[in-house]
């Protein structure tokens, strides 16, 4: 009996203790902006006082604090129980309490030529349109990259010929494993790492998986950093010499600041991606603001939809906006599902991914003489071999080409299985759902990928003869039309937080981009891949994001007085919606893509440097926008500004595009354009309306006589007497033109 009582007593005592340890997790407590009256030490003491108010002891409060955000963002990250977090959330000074989910994940020669940035022709120079030269290649612009770190030895980060570090720079070069102060230079002017959130969930960083330092063990961070601002490196190529040429970032003379907040997931292959804890990412953004970056580039996304006050990138980038820092983010790789976007805050530039006019061709020649177009980046070649469909029985597969369909498992693993069974080649075929989307993988065997139509043709041939044969041709870089085209994986609208804001904003190259790579990683990032390369071809909206970051740095260099919204407007209103065949940009299905896929279109850096007019938005405008979506939020974020008694519609944020989520009757949209072009100009309004929509505009002509002059106009949208189009979104555009500048904006309307 005594034993039983003792056992029950142990259970009763241990259960609360166990629950307490399980329930503790990291929360971010956000207070909005600093009032500018406290020192950094005083700010940290204030944060400790809040913890003391909910903790049982001063020691517990002190040990629970992970980060105190002190530069621009006012808040802290700490280990709390749900009850403690709830108590803090009820305090009037607290804007929001955000549970950390570790939800952010990393999302990459020819691309810069494709968008016209490397066109240094005599005519362009004479006209003053050479953006790189005018911007001095981004000289002294500072791009902060929040990612998995950097491989500093890469030639892309050489500082040869660069001036001393700008005196305005306040950052540091944080030392750690395999990284010391000598790895920073006049190119990489700062490097930090953030691991407290990761450590709280996963424990210490495994030295066999990652470096406890700003050094990149993955490749993703090195790739994105060099895409944005890598130096020009001749004879750069991926494994096997594929895509040989000059590798360069968009702003090759800009400075680079590294903020490592993404880490290898313990026990998982690198190919599964990194994990980036909310509190680590927010600490990185806060330091970047304090260090003095001009551009923030975040190729990160998340898998869940959060309101703006629960989204740490939205929060951090809003504070960056208060310092006129441009924030560029990837749209996410959740496509082709609708409403799959990441990073939808209106003060960030959200970038989708598209393909360029170069593909890596590796066709299949069938025994009947028919050639099927295939694509590959496999460095291995082969001679003519038989191809017979069967299971991967070594007796049947040995010495043959195997046709496999895309499905469960990694594409590279399929090639591994073929090689294990003695096969000499792989034709990786799309299923019907994938259509003709192009997938590239660095296989360990001669391999090529074919679209669904090509796969059907190959199967028909196989079944038509007793002895089918085939040959896979070596990879060749070839010109491709139509381009650009939208990547199937690129996330799509509509905006799931505020349907009035059209996202993504723009699209840029994000398919098979050649850039620098970590030599601690491999081309596939798979554990059994022991190959190493200095440059790698990689795909994703992670790759399209730094393209825009680099160009944003060039635009800031050319127009140092422009606001962040003017830079965004210039990029959006000059974007192209047609491909190199002058047809509408296609989606991965071959059908015309919509603004929910490409935003305003494919970015055109040269034209963005001279947009004519811009849609400007001040920081206060963004704060007032918060009133329209959450009136109680603004006063907590910035106590100096109050919401007006009469709340405006979120439609009237001066955005270069708009969405009407439900058009039941007339809706009036107001916009203001500002002249940024020298001299007098006369602009006329035009539009392209979708079926089921009518419009009234006033005025339809704007005459400017000096730079900085602004005019407002209204557009009243109402349903037309056409009931054939219902229960769907329809898309159109409107444009101001003076004969030289085409200032074009897309819009979307849902017809109920």
């Amino acid at each position: 009996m005594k034993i039983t009582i003792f056992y029950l007593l142990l259970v009763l005592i241990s259960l609360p203790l166990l629950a307490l340890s399980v329930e503790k997790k990291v929360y971010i407590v956000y207070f909005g902006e600093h009032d500018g009256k406290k020192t950094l030490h005083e700010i940290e003491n204030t944060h400790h006082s809040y913890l003391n108010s909910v903790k049982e002891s001063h020691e517990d409060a002190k040990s629970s604090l992970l980060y105190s955000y002190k530069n621009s963002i006012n808040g802290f990250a700490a280990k709390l129980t749900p009850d403690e977090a709830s108590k803090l959330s009820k305090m009037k000074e607290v804007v929001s309490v955000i549970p950390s989910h570790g939800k952010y994940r990393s999302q990459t020669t020819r691309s810069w030529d494709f968008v016209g940035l490397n066109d240094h022709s005599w005519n362009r120079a004479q006209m003053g349109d050479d953006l790189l030269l005018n911007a001095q290649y981004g000289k002294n612009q500072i791009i902060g990259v929040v990612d998995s770190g950097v491989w500093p030895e890469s030639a892309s980060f050489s500082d040869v010929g660069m001036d001393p570090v700008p005196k305005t720079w306040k950052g540091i070069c944080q030392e750690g494993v395999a990284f010391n102060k000598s790895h920073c230079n006049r190119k990489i002017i700062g490097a930090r790492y953030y691991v407290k959130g990761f450590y709280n969930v996963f424990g210490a960083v495994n030295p066999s998986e990652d470096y406890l330092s700003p050094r990149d063990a993955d490749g993703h961070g090195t790739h994105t950093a060099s895409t944005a601002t890598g130096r020009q490196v001749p004879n750069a190529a991926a494994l096997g010499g594929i895509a040989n040429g000059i590798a360069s970032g968009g702003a090759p003379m800009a400075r680079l600041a590294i903020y490592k907040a993404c880490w290898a997931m313990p026990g998982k292959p690198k190919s599964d991606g990194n994990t980036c804890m909310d509190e680590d990412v927010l600490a990185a953004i806060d330091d970047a603001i304090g260090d003095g970056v001009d551009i923030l580039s975040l190729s990160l996304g998340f898998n869940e939809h959060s309101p703006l006050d629960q989204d740490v990138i939205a929060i951090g980038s809003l504070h960056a906006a208060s310092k006129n820092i441009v924030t560029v983010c990837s749209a996410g790789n959740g496509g082709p599902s609708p409403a799959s976007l990441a990073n939808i805050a209106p003060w960030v530039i959200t970038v989708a991914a598209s393909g360029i006019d170069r593909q890596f061709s590796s066709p299949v020649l069938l025994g009947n003489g028919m050639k099927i177009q295939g694509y590959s980046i496999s460095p291995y070649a082969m001679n003519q071999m038989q191809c017979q469909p069967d299971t991967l029985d070594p007796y049947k597969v040995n010495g043959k080409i195997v046709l496999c369909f895309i499905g469960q498992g990694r594409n590279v693993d399929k090639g591994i299985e073929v090689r294990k069974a003695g096969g000499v080649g792989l034709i990786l075929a799309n299923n019907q759902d994938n259509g003709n989307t192009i997938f590239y993988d660095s296989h360990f065997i001669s391999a090529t990928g074919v679209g669904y139509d090509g796969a059907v043709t190959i199967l028909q041939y196989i079944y038509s003869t007793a002895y089918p044969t085939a040959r896979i041709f070596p990879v060749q870089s070839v010109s491709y039309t139509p381009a650009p085209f939208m990547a199937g994986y690129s996330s799509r609208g509509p905006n799931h937080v505020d349907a009035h804001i059209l996202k993504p904003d723009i699209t840029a190259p994000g398919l098979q981009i050649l850039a620098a790579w970590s030599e601690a990683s491999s081309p596939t990032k798979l554990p059994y891949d022991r190959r190493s390369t200095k440059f790698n071809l990689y795909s994703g909206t992670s790759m399209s994001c730094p393209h825009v970051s680099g160009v944003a740095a060039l635009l800031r260099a050319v127009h140092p007085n422009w606001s962040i919204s003017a830079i965004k407007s210039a990029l959006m209103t000059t974007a192209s919606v047609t491909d190199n065949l002058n047809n509408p940009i296609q989606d991965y299905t071959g059908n015309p893509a919509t603004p929910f896929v490409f935003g305003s279109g494919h970015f055109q850096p040269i034209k963005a440097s001279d947009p004519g007019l811009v849609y400007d938005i001040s920081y206060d405008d963004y704060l007032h926008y918060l009133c329209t979506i959450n009136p109680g939020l603004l006063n907590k974020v910035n106590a100096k500004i109050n919401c007006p008694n009469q709340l405006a519609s979120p439609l009237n944020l001066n955005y270069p595009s708009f969405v009407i989520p439900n058009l039941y009757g007339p809706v009036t949209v107001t916009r203001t354009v500002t002249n940024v072009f020298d001299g007098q100009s006369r602009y006329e309004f035009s539009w392209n309306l979708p079926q089921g929509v009518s419009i009234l505009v006033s005025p339809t002509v704007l005459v400017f006589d000096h730079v900085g002059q602004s005019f407002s106009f209204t557009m009243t949208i109402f349903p037309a007497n056409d009931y054939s189009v219902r229960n769907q979104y329809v898309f159109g555009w409107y444009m101001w033109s003076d004969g030289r500048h085409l200032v074009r904006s897309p819009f979307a309307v849902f017809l109920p």
Side-chain angles (χ1 to χ4, degrees):
M1 182 62 118
K2 289 182 180 180
I3 295 175
T4 304
I5 293 172
F6 179 66
Y7 173 76
L8 288 173
L9 183 62
L10 277 178
V11 171
L12 290 172
I13 291 173
S14 62
L15 276 175
L17 294 174
L18 180 61
L20 185 63
S21 64
V22 169
E23 289 177 354
K24 271 193 176 181
K25 61 179 294 184
V26 175
Y27 291 83
I28 297 168
V29 181
Y30 175 50
F31 297 97
E33 289 187 345
H34 290 293
D35 59 14
K37 298 177 182 178
K38 294 180 180 178
T39 65
L40 297 182
H41 181 68
E42 289 172 333
I43 292 169
E44 188 164 341
N45 285 341
T46 301
H47 294 163
H48 270 126
S49 71
Y50 280 97
L51 283 171
N52 281 325
S53 71
V54 298
K55 294 288 187 180
E56 293 185 357
S57 69
H58 177 73
E59 290 73 21
D60 188 18
K62 188 174 182 180
S63 64
S64 67
L65 183 67
L66 272 67
Y67 293 107
S68 182
Y69 307 119
K70 297 174 286 193
N71 290 306
S72 176
I73 301 160
N74 187 3
F76 61 82
K79 289 178 281 187
L80 303 168
T81 66
D83 182 59
E84 291 166 346
S86 177
K87 289 178 180 177
L88 286 168
S89 69
K90 294 173 183 176
M91 297 180 182
K92 68 176 184 178
E93 304 90 354
V94 175
V95 175
S96 57
V97 176
I98 307 166
S100 173
H101 302 292
K103 61 191 177 187
Y104 290 97
R105 300 285 296 275
S106 49
Q107 301 282 301
T108 204
T109 48
R110 171 62 189 164
S111 59
W112 294 115
D113 293 332
F114 177 60
V115 300
L117 196 61
N118 289 332
D119 181 1
H120 302 300
S121 63
W122 183 86
N123 286 337
R124 188 174 292 284
Q126 288 295 107
M127 294 175 63
D129 287 343
D130 195 317
L131 177 57
L132 275 173
L133 290 177
N134 293 342
Q136 294 184 286
Y137 294 80
K139 181 179 178 180
N140 287 337
Q141 294 296 307
I142 302 170
I143 301 178
V145 177
V146 181
D147 213 298
S148 65
V150 69
W151 191 260
E153 292 84 1
S154 172
S156 293
F157 308 121
S158 167
D159 68 349
V160 174
M162 297 191 74
D163 292 339
V165 175
K167 293 181 180 180
T168 56
W169 177 244
K170 302 171 187 173
I172 64 171
C173 190
Q174 185 178 4
E175 295 187 326
V177 175
F179 197 97
N180 56 49
K181 285 183 170 58
S182 69
H183 289 112
C184 292
N185 54 21
R186 289 170 295 180
K187 179 64 175 180
I188 302 175
I189 63 173
R192 299 176 185 257
Y193 65 94
Y194 306 84
V195 73
K196 293 178 182 178
F198 176 89
Y199 184 86
N200 183 67
V201 175
F202 298 105
V205 172
N206 185 335
S208 68
E209 296 177 331
D210 211 333
Y211 298 99
L212 188 61
S213 76
R215 182 173 287 275
D216 180 17
D218 179 85
H220 190 275
T222 300
H223 199 283
T224 57
S226 60
T227 300
T229 182
R231 301 295 298 275
Q232 294 182 341
V233 181
N235 298 315
L239 194 70
I242 295 172
N244 183 275
I246 299 175
S248 176
M253 293 299 283
R255 314 302 178 120
L256 178 62
I258 295 296
Y259 300 90
K260 180 177 177 178
C262 301
W263 303 87
M265 290 188 289
K268 298 288 184 69
K270 293 178 182 178
S271 57
D272 283 359
N274 295 306
T275 186
C276 323
M277 308 302 292
D278 302 66
E279 58 272 27
D280 294 338
V281 171
L282 193 59
I285 295 173
D286 189 46
D287 276 342
I289 295 170
D291 289 346
V293 303
D294 299 298
I295 312 290
L296 264 172
S297 187
L298 294 98
S299 292
L300 312 177
F302 51 86
N303 298 322
E304 58 184 54
H305 299 162
S306 300
L308 295 178
D309 64 338
Q310 297 284 314
D311 181 343
V312 299
I313 290 182
I315 291 169
S317 58
L318 178 61
H319 288 272
S322 73
K323 307 296 184 184
N324 206 36
I325 297 170
V326 179
T327 302
V328 186
C329 296
S330 55
N333 296 338
S337 299
S340 53
L341 289 163
N343 303 312
I344 46 67
W347 44 84
V348 307
I349 303 175
T350 308
V351 189
S354 40
I356 61 173
D357 63 344
R358 176 193 64 188
Q359 300 293 348
F360 303 106
S361 175
S362 178
V364 178
L365 181 64
L366 303 179
N368 61 4
M370 181 176 291
K371 184 180 283 189
I372 306 297
Q373 183 59 59
Y375 301 94
S376 178
I377 55 171
S378 171
Y380 305 104
M382 65 169 295
N383 295 319
Q384 184 173 348
M385 295 289 177
Q386 289 185 343
C387 177
Q388 188 172 354
D390 213 325
T391 61
L392 297 188
D393 181 342
Y395 177 77
K396 298 178 179 179
V397 170
N398 185 52
K400 298 180 175 64
I401 300 171
V402 179
L403 176 70
C404 293
F405 278 82
I406 286 174
Q408 293 182 344
R410 300 183 185 91
N411 293 344
V412 173
D413 288 342
K414 298 179 189 297
I416 291 291
E417 291 303 313
V418 170
R419 192 177 72 166
K420 284 181 180 178
V424 294
L426 167 69
I427 301 174
L428 192 64
N430 284 2
N431 54 37
Q432 191 167 8
D433 290 340
N434 296 127
N436 293 315
T437 298
I438 300 169
F439 294 95
Y440 289 100
D441 301 282
S442 185
H443 287 279
F444 293 80
I445 191 172
S446 178
T448 191
V450 299
Y452 178 71
D453 294 340
V456 170
T457 301
I458 293 172
L459 280 175
Q460 288 173 344
Y461 163 67
I462 289 171
Y463 292 135
S464 71
T465 178
Y467 300 101
T469 62
R471 179 185 179 187
I472 300 174
F473 282 81
V475 178
Q476 285 189 322
S477 179
V478 297
S479 297
Y480 183 85
T481 56
F485 56 93
M486 297 309 300
Y489 55 76
S490 189
S491 292
R492 286 116 205 279
N495 188 327
H496 49 80
V497 172
D498 181 3
H500 301 90
I501 303 295
L502 201 160
K503 291 282 184 171
D505 293 309
I506 203 163
T507 188
L511 183 67
Q512 290 308 313
I513 304 302
L514 183 74
W517 197 247
S518 169
E519 293 183 50
S521 190
S522 66
T524 64
K525 301 202 292 185
L526 291 168
Y528 48 73
D529 189 352
R530 303 302 180 193
R531 300 171 298 178
S532 178
T533 183
K534 296 179 184 295
F535 291 85
N536 198 23
L537 290 160
Y538 216 51
S539 298
T541 55
S542 284
M543 284 62 252
S544 56
C545 167
H547 275 84
V548 175
S549 302
V551 170
L554 298 179
L555 295 178
R556 287 205 71 149
V558 173
H559 302 289
N561 297 320
W562 277 12
S563 67
I564 61 171
S565 57
I567 290 173
K568 175 195 275 193
S569 174
L571 287 164
M572 291 175 64
T573 61
T574 59
S576 172
V577 294
T578 56
D579 58 31
N580 53 7
L581 297 179
N582 205 33
N583 293 319
I585 293 175
Q586 294 181 5
D587 205 350
Y588 75 105
T589 58
N591 298 319
T594 73
F596 280 169
V597 183
F598 57 56
S600 294
H602 195 271
F603 84 144
Q604 300 187 99
I606 304 298
K607 290 190 175 183
S609 66
D610 179 23
L613 305 176
V614 296
Y615 293 86
D616 214 351
I617 306 173
S618 69
Y619 175 64
D620 285 355
D621 291 336
Y622 286 128
L623 293 180
H624 283 121
Y625 163 78
L626 294 178
C627 296
T628 68
I629 60 171
N630 187 344
L633 186 60
L634 174 61
N635 190 251
K636 290 184 175 182
V637 173
N638 188 317
K640 300 174 184 177
I641 299 179
N642 294 313
C643 288
N645 293 329
Q646 190 99 19
L647 294 179
S649 165
L651 264 176
N652 286 328
L653 180 69
N654 199 38
Y655 215 70
S657 59
F658 68 84
V659 179
I660 300 176
N662 280 294
L663 187 66
Y664 289 105
V667 175
T668 298
V669 179
T670 302
R671 289 291 184 267
T672 301
V673 287
T674 301
N675 182 33
V676 293
F677 177 65
D678 291 335
Q680 296 183 341
S681 53
R682 183 181 188 274
Y683 283 84
E684 295 185 2
F685 190 89
S686 61
W687 60 81
N688 181 29
L689 295 180
Q691 188 176 351
V693 172
S694 296
I695 188 171
L696 287 176
V697 181
S698 179
T700 57
V701 175
L702 300 175
V703 179
F704 297 89
D705 55 28
H706 63 270
V707 173
Q709 189 175 14
S710 298
F711 287 111
S712 296
F713 64 98
T714 61
M715 298 170 285
T716 301
I717 315 294
F718 51 92
N721 295 322
D722 183 349
Y723 296 96
S724 62
V725 181
R726 285 292 180 267
N727 297 314
Q728 62 179 287
Y729 273 103
V730 293
F731 305 92
W733 53 258
Y734 58 97
M735 181 171 67
W736 290 102
S737 175
D738 65 349
R740 169 173 174 166
H741 303 98
L742 303 177
V743 188
R744 182 188 170 281
S745 295
F747 67 86
V749 175
F750 186 82
L751 296 174

